[in-house]
C-alpha cells in the first residue's frame, strides 16, 4: 500500500522501462510504481495521501554535481542576491535598501550569481554608484572570479590605504594619489577576493543554522533534491561541517548532500588527507549526508582559476611532485577524488600524474574532472579509460562574452564539449559551482545547455552542440548521481529509486526556450516527504522559521527562485526609468527601452508617445 500517490501528472521518469507516466506511487521513501492513473490508484489504501498534480510536469529531483551548499548555507542569510534582477538600476536600489537595513558592523554582500549582461543597461555598476547607494555601510560585490567592488566604508573598515601592499596574486587598484579606489582585481587567482570577503563578520551559530535551512528551502523551490558539495576555501573539516551535521542529526535536511573534503593549506595538503583518511571514509554518514571523497582542491599548485578576463595561467612546475603523493594516498585508500581543471593544458598534466599512479596503484573507484571547459577529445578519452567522469557547470552562461572576446566565437562553440563527452561514453554530470561565481539556479544551466546562450543572449553553441531537453535533464539527474556513487538509487523515477521529485510550475519539455529560466518547482519531495510547496500545494509544505537575523535580505526581498515566479505572473520590478514602480498601465518590460537608443540626453525625463516615462513598447 503506498504512503503517497501523485496523480493527474505528466511524468518524465527517465526510466527506460516506463519513460512517461501519469501517476507515481511512493512507499517508505522510494518509488513503488509508476503508470497510468487508474492502475496506480488501484494500489491506494485508506491512509494513502493522494496529490493531484493538476496536469503539471513531474521530473526526478535535480542534482547539482558541483556546488558549495555547506559553505553557502552558513552565509546565505547575509547575502543580497542579484540573480534575475532585470536592470542595474533595480540592483542599485536593492543595494541601497539593504544598506539602510544592515546594522554596524555587518556588511552588505553581493556574492556572485549575476552578470552585467543580464541587466538592461548591459554594464557593471560604477564605484561612484555603489558609494552613492551605500555611503556608510561596508559593501562587498563579487563579480565572477575576476574582481570585487568595495565602497569607501569597506575600504575604511578593512584598513586599506596608500601603504597597504598588494596581496599575492591580486591587485588593489589605486588612483593617481596612490589611494585604493575600491576595485580588487584577481590576477591571476581569486585569493584576494576570498581573503577580503573572509574579513567580514560571521553569523552566530543559531543564525547559521537558520541560514542553512533557508538556503536548502531555496534549493527545493528550484527543484533541487540532491547536491555534491565540493568543499571550498576556508571550509575546514570537521569544524565547518558542524552545522550541517547538526541539521542531519535533527532530521532537518531537505537536500541530500554528498560532500568532498578540500585541502586547505598550501604545502600541507598531504598532511590534511593523511589525517582525514584516519577520521572518516567515503560513504560514511546517512542517506541525507554522506562523505564523498577528496577535492576539488587536492593541492593548491594544481588550481587553474577560470578568470577569462585574464590569460590562461600556467600551473607551477612543482605541481606534479606535490599532486602525485596525494593521489597515490587516495588511490591506496580507495577514496574517490575530484580536481578543479578549467583548461585542457591543466587536464593533460593531471592525467599524466593519474596514469603514473594508476600503473602502481590501480584506481578502484571514480575520479572527477571538474569544469573542463576546453578539454580536448584526446583527454576525454584518457579520462574515460581511467574510469573518470566530467562534472560540467553553467559558468559559460555568465562568462561566455569574456571567453569569446579572448578566444573567439569558434572556440566557444564547444566549451565545454558536452555533446562529445556523451558520444564518447564518459560519465557527465551537471551543476552550478555556486554560490560565489555562478548562480545556484539550475534552470540557468538547463537553458544554457538546451539553447547554447549566455544570460545576455549571446549564442555560444551551434546546433551540433546544443542538447535536447531530455539529454540535459538526464545529465542534471541520473548523470550527476554517478558522481556520488548513487546511480542505482537516484536520478530516475523507477521502482526502488528514491522518491526525490519536483512538480514544475511550467512544462519544461514543451515551453518556449526563453521560458525555461522562469521554471521553478511548485512541489518538491525528498524521500517521499514534501519539503517545499507553493500555490495549490502550499498547505503541504513544512513550516520554516523566519529568516534571522532580522535585517537579513532573505526576509526582505524575493529570492531568485521567487523572482522566477514573479516573472511567470507578470509582476515586474521597478526599473531605471521615471516610474516609481512597474508600469501598471502598459505592463511592459523596461529592458526594451534601455537597450535601444533614445534621442534625448536625460532618459528619465523623456515623455514617450505611450504617455508614461517608461517609453517602452
Amino acid at each position: 500500500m503506498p504512503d503517497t500517490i501523485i496523480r493527474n501528472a505528466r511524468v518524465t521518469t527517465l526510466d527506460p522501462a516506463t519513460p512517461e507516466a501519469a501517476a507515481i506511487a511512493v512507499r517508505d521513501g522510494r518509488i513503488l510504481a509508476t503508470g497510468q492513473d487508474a492502475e496506480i490508484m488501484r494500489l491506494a489504501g485508506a491512509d494513502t495521501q493522494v496529490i493531484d498534480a493538476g496536469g503539471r510536469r513531474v521530473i526526478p529531483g535535480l542534482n547539482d554535481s558541483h556546488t558549495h551548499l555547506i559553505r553557502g548555507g552558513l552565509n546565505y542569510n547575509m547575502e543580497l542576491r542579484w540573480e534575475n534582477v532585470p536592470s542595474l538600476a533595480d540592483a542599485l536600489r536593492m543595494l541601497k535598501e539593504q544598506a539602510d537595513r544592515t546594522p554596524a558592523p555587518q556588511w552588505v554582500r553581493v556574492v556572485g550569481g549575476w552578470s552585467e549582461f543580464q541587466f538592461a543597461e548591459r554594464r557593471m555598476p560604477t564605484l561612484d554608484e555603489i558609494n552613492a547607494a551605500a555611503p556608510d555601510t561596508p559593501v562587498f560585490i563579487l563579480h565572477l572570479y575576476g574582481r570585487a567592488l568595495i565602497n569607501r566604508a569597506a575600504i575604511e573598515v578593512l584598513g586599506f590605504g596608500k601603504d597597504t601592499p598588494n596581496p599575492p596574486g591580486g591587485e588593489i587598484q589605486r588612483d593617481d594619489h596612490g589611494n585604493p579606489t575600491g576595485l580588487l582585481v584577481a590576477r591571476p587567482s581569486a585569493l584576494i577576493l576570498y581573503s577580503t570577503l573572509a574579513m567580514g563578520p560571521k553569523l552566530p551559530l543559531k543564525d547559521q543554522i537558520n541560514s542553512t535551512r533557508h538556503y536548502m528551502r531555496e534549493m527545493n523551490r528550484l527543484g533541487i533534491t540532491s547536491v555534491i558539495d565540493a568543499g571550498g576555501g576556508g571550509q575546514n573539516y570537521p569544524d565547518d561541517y558542524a552545522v550541517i551535521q547538526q541539521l542531519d542529526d535533527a532530521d532537518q535536511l531537505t537536500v541530500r548532500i554528498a560532500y568532498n573534503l578540500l585541502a586547505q593549506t598550501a604545502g600541507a595538503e598531504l598532511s590534511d588527507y593523511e589525517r582525514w583518511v584516519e577520521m572518516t571514509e567515503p560513504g560514511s554518514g546517512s542517506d541525507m549526508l554522506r562523505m564523498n571523497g577528496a577535492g576539488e582542491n587536492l593541492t593548491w599548485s594544481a588550481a587553474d582559476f577560470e578568470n577569462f578576463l585574464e590569460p590562461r595561467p600556467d600551473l607551477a612546475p612543482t605541481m606534479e611532485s606535490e599532486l602525485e603523493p596525494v593521489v597515490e594516498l587516495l588511490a591506496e585508500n580507495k577514496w574517490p577524488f575530484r580536481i578543479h581543471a578549467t583548461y585542457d593544458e591543466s587536464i593533460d598534466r593531471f592525467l599524466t600524474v593519474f596514469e603514473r599512479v594508476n600503473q602502481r596503484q590501480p584506481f578502484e573507484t571514480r575520479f572527477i574532472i571538474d569544469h573542463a571547459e576546453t578539454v580536448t577529445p584526446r583527454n576525454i578519452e584518457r579520462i574515460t579509460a581511467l574510469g573518470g567522469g566530467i562534472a560540467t557547470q553553467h559558468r559559460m552562461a555568465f562568462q561566455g562574452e569574456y571567453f569569446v572576446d579572448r578566444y573567439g566565437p569558434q572556440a566557444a562553440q564547444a566549451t565545454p564539449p558536452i555533446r562529445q563527452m556523451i558520444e564518447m561514453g564518459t560519465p557527465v554530470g551537471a551543476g552550478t559551482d555556486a554560490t560565489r561565481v555562478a548562480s545556484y539556479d539550475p534552470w540557468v544551466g538547463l537553458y544554457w545547455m538546451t539553447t547554447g546562450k549566455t544570460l545576455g543572449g549571446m549564442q555560444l553553441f551551434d546546433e551540433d552542440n546544443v542538447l535536447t531537453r531530455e539529454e540535459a535533464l538526464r545529465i542534471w539527474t541520473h548523470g550527476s548521481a554517478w558522481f556520488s556513487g548513487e546511480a542505482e538509487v537516484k536520478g530516475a523515477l523507477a521502482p526502488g529509486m528514491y522518491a526525490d521529485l519536483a512538480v514544475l510550475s511550467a512544462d519544461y519539455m514543451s515551453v518556449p526556450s526563453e521560458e525555461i529560466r522562469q521554471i521553478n518547482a511548485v512541489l518538491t519531495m525528498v524521500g517521499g516527504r514534501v519539503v517545499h510547496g507553493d500555490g495549490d500545494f502550499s498547505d503541504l509544505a513544512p513550516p520554516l522559521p523566519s529568516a534571522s537575523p532580522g535585517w537579513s535580505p532573505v526576509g526582505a526581498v524575493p529570492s531568485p527562485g521567487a523572482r522566477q515566479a514573479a516573472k511567470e505572473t507578470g509582476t515586474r520590478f521597478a526599473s531605471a526609468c521615471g516610474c516609481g514602480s512597474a508600469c501598471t498601465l502598459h505592463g511592459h518590460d523596461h529592458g526594451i527601452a534601455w537597450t535601444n537608443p533614445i534621442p534625448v540626453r536625460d532618459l528619465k525625463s523623456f515623455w514617450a508617445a505611450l504617455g508614461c516615462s517608461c517609453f517602452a513598447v
Side-chain angles (χ1 to χ4, degrees), residues 216 244 247-248 251-255 257 288-289 529 531:
M216 289 189 295
I244 207 71
L247 287 168
D248 185 40
D251 196 27
Q252 291 182 331
L253 292 185
T254 63
V255 176
I257 303 168
M288 295 299 296
L289 181 67
R529 179 178 62 172
V531 294

Side-chain angles (χ1 to χ4, degrees), residues 89-109:
D90 282 314
L92 290 169
R93 172 181 54 78
M94 293 167 65
L95 181 66
K96 180 183 187 309
E97 291 171 354
Q98 185 57 41
D100 292 343
R101 277 190 296 269
T102 303
Q106 292 292 338
W107 299 5
V108 178
R109 309 162 200 237

